[in-house]
């Protein structure tokens, strides 16, 4: 395919046409999915690396389309581009806060600590003028304890519009919510910049966790990220931990939490609740 400027026509290859058609079809189906009740949240547990206890869950969106389960890597970018992420994201927030509230009751009954609910917020959703109103409405409607909720925002969303972002983050924290930077290390942020943002937690992207055992540089980077976060009074979650050796390294370096297939896969709500009961009851 070629992109030509000026008066020239844009030349589409058949391949690009097929891609765009597929994307449009996806967008059309996606726009109906909310009304049809086709979305579902899965929950992936996070584990405290030092106590071994279950610390909370990250809510991960799934789409049960007519032709099967579609993963978020396929539809979130389309939802983001089309703006559909705003209503979809509102649904995610409401659903995850409801679940957090239900798990709070359970944890209380079992005498366990408050399980954290981490919720992904897309850049477009975060920057939407109605975002704060939506958050307030959801907190009120679900009467969830805001300290239980952690909003995950990617570096890109944070670094653009820095001043407005900082103000919004401060407002979210005044409500009692926690904030995490997702996929840390994959963006272009300067580390010095980070200290300007009122962030509670860094999530180290799984590409760095994967490189832990590969070479000395991979290990040095992950270790430096943990030290950086701690020096800025943030806690650290390592993502995509699949092997015991990775967990051992991370624990030695003082990483606080881990998330990954080693501890638990993303689970449907029933299985996640059973996991919570088993871990807190133990
Ligand atoms: P993410 O926020 O970085 O979420 C972690 C992804 O890593 C999840 O993929 C999870 O299933 C996967 N994962 C967890 N542990 C392991 C592991 O040990 N090994 C490997 N290889 N993968 C692991 P998933 O569920 O497919 O989600 C992909 C992305 O879609 C998420 O990446 C997030 O950026 C986005 N996403 C998911 N749910 C939502 C949502 O509700 N709203 C928004 N805006 N984005 C979402
Ligand atoms: Ca995330
Ligand atoms: Ca991530
Ligand atoms: Ca990601």
């Amino acid at each position: 395919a070629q992109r030509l400027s000026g008066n020239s026509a844009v030349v589409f290859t058949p391949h690009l046409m097929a891609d765009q058609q597929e994307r449009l079809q996806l967008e059309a189906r996606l726009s109906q999915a909310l009304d049809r009740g086709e979305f579902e949240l899965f929950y992936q547990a996070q584990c405290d690396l030092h106590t071994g206890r279950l610390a909370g869950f990250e809510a991960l969106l799934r789409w049960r389309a007519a032709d099967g389960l579609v993963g978020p890597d396929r539809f979130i970018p389309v939802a983001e581009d089309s703006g559909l992420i705003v209503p979809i994201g509102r649904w995610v927030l409401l659903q995850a806060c409801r679940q957090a509230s239900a798990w709070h009751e359970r944890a209380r009954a079992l005498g366990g600590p408050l399980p954290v609910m981490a919720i992904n917020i897309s850049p477009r959703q975060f920057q939407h003028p109605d975002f704060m109103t939506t958050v307030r409405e959801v907190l009120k409607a679900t009467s969830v304890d805001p300290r239980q909720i952690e909003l995950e925002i990617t570096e890109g969303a944070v670094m653009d519009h820095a001043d407005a972002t900082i103000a919004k983050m401060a407002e979210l924290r005044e409500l009692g919510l926690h904030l995490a930077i997702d996929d840390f290390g994959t963006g272009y942020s300067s580390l010095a910049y980070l200290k300007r943002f009122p962030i509670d937690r860094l999530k180290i992207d799984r590409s760095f966790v994967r490189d832990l055992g590969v070479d000395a540089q991979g290990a040095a980077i992950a270790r430096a990220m943990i030290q950086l976060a701690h020096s800025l009074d943030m806690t650290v979650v390592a993502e995509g931990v699949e092997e015991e050796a990775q967990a051992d390294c991370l624990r030695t370096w003082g990483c606080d939490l881990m998330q990954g297939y080693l501890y638990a896969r993303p689970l449907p709500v029933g299985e996640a609740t059973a996991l919570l009961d088993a871990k807190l009851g133990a």
Side-chain angles (χ1 to χ4, degrees):
Q2 293 177 286
R3 266 174 193 279
L4 303 175
S5 54
N7 296 324
S8 335
V10 176
V11 180
F12 292 102
T13 64
H15 174 71
L16 186 59
M17 289 263 279
D19 266 10
Q20 294 207 325
Q21 238 161 39
E22 202 186 296
R23 205 177 162 93
L24 282 173
Q25 274 170 13
L26 190 67
E27 193 180 313
R29 289 197 294 140
L30 200 56
S31 68
Q32 298 177 321
L34 207 52
D35 288 338
R36 293 185 175 176
E38 291 173 347
F39 289 116
E40 185 177 334
L41 290 181
F42 274 40
Y43 300 93
Q44 185 175 32
Q46 298 177 338
C47 164
D48 185 309
L49 271 164
H50 304 287
T51 64
R53 300 192 72 161
L54 185 148
F57 294 89
E58 177 178 2
L60 293 163
L61 188 57
R62 301 289 181 265
W63 177 19
R64 283 197 194 280
D67 54 347
L69 203 65
V70 186
D73 284 334
R74 255 195 82 203
F75 69 82
I76 294 279
V78 178
E80 178 84 7
D81 285 350
S82 62
L84 285 168
I85 195 66
V86 173
I88 294 172
R90 191 189 306 128
W91 180 87
V92 169
L93 195 65
L94 182 65
Q95 195 67 18
C97 286
R98 269 194 199 131
Q99 195 55 52
S101 184
W103 282 342
H104 187 175
E105 293 306 312
R106 257 186 138 82
R108 207 192 335 245
L110 293 166
L114 199 64
V116 167
M117 178 70 84
I119 306 171
N120 290 287
I121 304 295
S122 88
R124 188 147 176 188
Q125 190 186 0
F126 183 79
Q127 277 150 16
H128 195 278
D130 293 342
F131 181 65
M132 285 307 305
T133 309
T134 301
V135 170
R136 284 199 185 84
E137 280 171 3
V138 167
L139 290 180
K140 201 169 163 206
T142 60
S143 47
V144 71
D145 184 339
R147 294 170 306 163
Q148 205 183 344
I149 304 302
E150 184 173 280
L151 302 181
E152 296 192 358
I153 300 160
T154 52
E155 279 174 87
V158 171
M159 301 308 157
D160 308 337
H161 319 286
D163 290 337
T165 298
I166 291 169
K168 206 176 260 192
M169 287 179 158
E171 243 182 296
L172 289 165
R173 276 177 121 210
E174 262 165 49
L175 293 174
L177 299 158
H178 295 287
L179 300 173
I181 297 285
D182 203 357
D183 303 341
F184 184 69
T186 61
Y188 299 95
S189 56
S190 95
L191 298 181
Y193 218 56
L194 206 63
K195 70 171 191 288
R196 296 180 54 204
F197 295 89
I199 301 291
D200 303 282
R201 186 167 276 180
L202 285 189
K203 297 195 78 175
I204 298 181
D205 190 70
R206 71 164 176 269
S207 56
F208 299 101
V209 173
R210 194 184 47 221
D211 290 349
L212 266 185
V214 176
D215 52 35
Q217 279 96 339
I221 291 174
R223 196 171 182 173
M225 286 178 172
I226 296 167
Q227 282 171 353
L228 170 81
H230 285 166
S231 72
L232 296 172
D233 281 326
M234 299 172 186
T235 56
V236 189
V237 187
E239 297 192 291
V241 178
E242 296 181 355
E243 293 160 21
E244 201 67 62
Q246 295 167 335
D248 289 342
C249 272
L250 291 160
R251 189 180 299 111
T252 305
W253 298 335
C255 184
D256 303 280
L257 303 169
M258 69 164 171
Q259 184 182 337
Y261 298 163
L262 176 66
Y263 187 64
R265 299 210 162 229
L267 301 169
V269 64
E271 286 175 50
T273 305
L275 182 69
L276 180 76
D277 285 350
K279 295 291 181 184
L280 294 187

